[in-house]
Amino acid sequence: MSIASDLIRGHTDTIILAQLFKNDSYGYEINKTIQSITDSEYELKEATLYTAFRRLEQQGYIISYWGNETTGARRRYYCITASGKLAYEKLIEEWKIAKELIDKLIKKN
Amino acid sequence: MSIASDLIRGHTDTIILAQLFKNDSYGYEINKTIQSITDSEYELKEATLYTAFRRLEQQGYIISYWGNETTGARRRYYCITASGKLAYEKLIEEWKIAKELIDKLIKKN
DNA sequence: AAATATACATTGACAGGCGAGGTATGTTGT
DNA sequence: ACAACATACCTCGCCTGTCAATGTATATTT
């Protein structure tokens, strides 16, 4: 974890929705995926991850169900809803705008 | 103000340092500049702005002095320090990295 | 006289991130 | 056998940054 979380803050929900947009998954796996994608430059803290799940579920953007593992620890899978997909698309658009705004505001000249 | 502040959050200090890197300025003017740069799509709330000034000054990244206006309201000018310039350069580098990370993490596929 | 613009500042509520702690199962090394 | 580690979940309480609300003061415009 080498990047300041403050800079990613505000994108936690989008990142999770993005992973669930590809396929249903569970907390531990999502975090491993994030580490894999970023070559371990970033990871979500567990407390942050599970807090986000609660938030997203409460907003109706994801729903959860228990996996039927016969061995190993139980897994709570999450599935993105139609509403969640819409929110995700909107968040991506907002990110594009924010990116340009920040570039304009912090550039050197 | 049309963009979610959550997405800019974490960049407030960088934005202020960027403006002060160009030239000394004061709160009100910096905010007008930001609105001008972004065509009023973004602005810093006053409470946020002045909180940031305190923070940056405490960290030694900026210093302040009162302007010698003979008319109108008094102005507290801020000046970026050598340490602040270094911090600013570093924050820009971090932004480049964060931008790529987020792009990787939220993209649709 | 009232409204608006310029210009500063603080307080208290709120939200998100996260360290620390806890629970439980399965595998690997010694 | 037992320790250590990996997998997998969860919550509490602190910290930090944002911001609505509020207040102060000066100058100009209506």
Side-chain angles (χ1 to χ4, degrees), chain B residues 26 28 46 50 54 75-76:
Chain B
Y26 54 97
Y28 195 83
E46 291 197 352
Y50 291 110
R54 301 291 155 271
R75 297 170 179 168
R76 187 195 281 276

Side-chain angles (χ1 to χ4, degrees), chain A residues 39-76:
Chain A
D39 293 314
S40 290
E41 280 192 88
Y42 190 64
E43 62 172 334
L44 287 172
K45 297 300 182 308
E46 289 196 354
T48 304
L49 182 66
Y50 292 109
T51 301
F53 282 142
R54 300 292 154 269
R55 192 166 52 233
L56 288 167
E57 194 158 24
Q58 213 180 354
Q59 287 173 124
Y61 293 161
I62 61 174
I63 53 173
S64 66
Y65 58 92
W66 288 104
N68 60 341
E69 286 69 45
T70 50
T71 182
R74 68 202 173 140
R75 297 171 178 169
R76 186 196 282 274

Side-chain angles (χ1 to χ4, degrees), chain A residues 47-107:
Chain A
T48 304
L49 182 66
Y50 292 109
T51 301
F53 282 142
R54 300 292 154 269
R55 192 166 52 233
L56 288 167
E57 194 158 24
Q58 213 180 354
Q59 287 173 124
Y61 293 161
I62 61 174
I63 53 173
S64 66
Y65 58 92
W66 288 104
N68 60 341
E69 286 69 45
T70 50
T71 182
R74 68 202 173 140
R75 297 171 178 169
R76 186 196 282 274
Y77 283 85
Y78 292 94
C79 171
I80 190 168
T81 63
S83 162
K85 285 179 187 174
L86 268 174
Y88 169 55
E89 308 271 9
K90 205 178 163 195
L91 286 167
I92 288 184
E93 290 310 311
E94 277 180 28
W95 163 236
K96 283 183 193 166
I97 295 167
K99 196 161 52 168
E100 280 169 33
L101 272 186
I102 295 168
D103 271 333
K104 269 196 263 184
L105 288 170
I106 75 171
K107 78 171 171 209

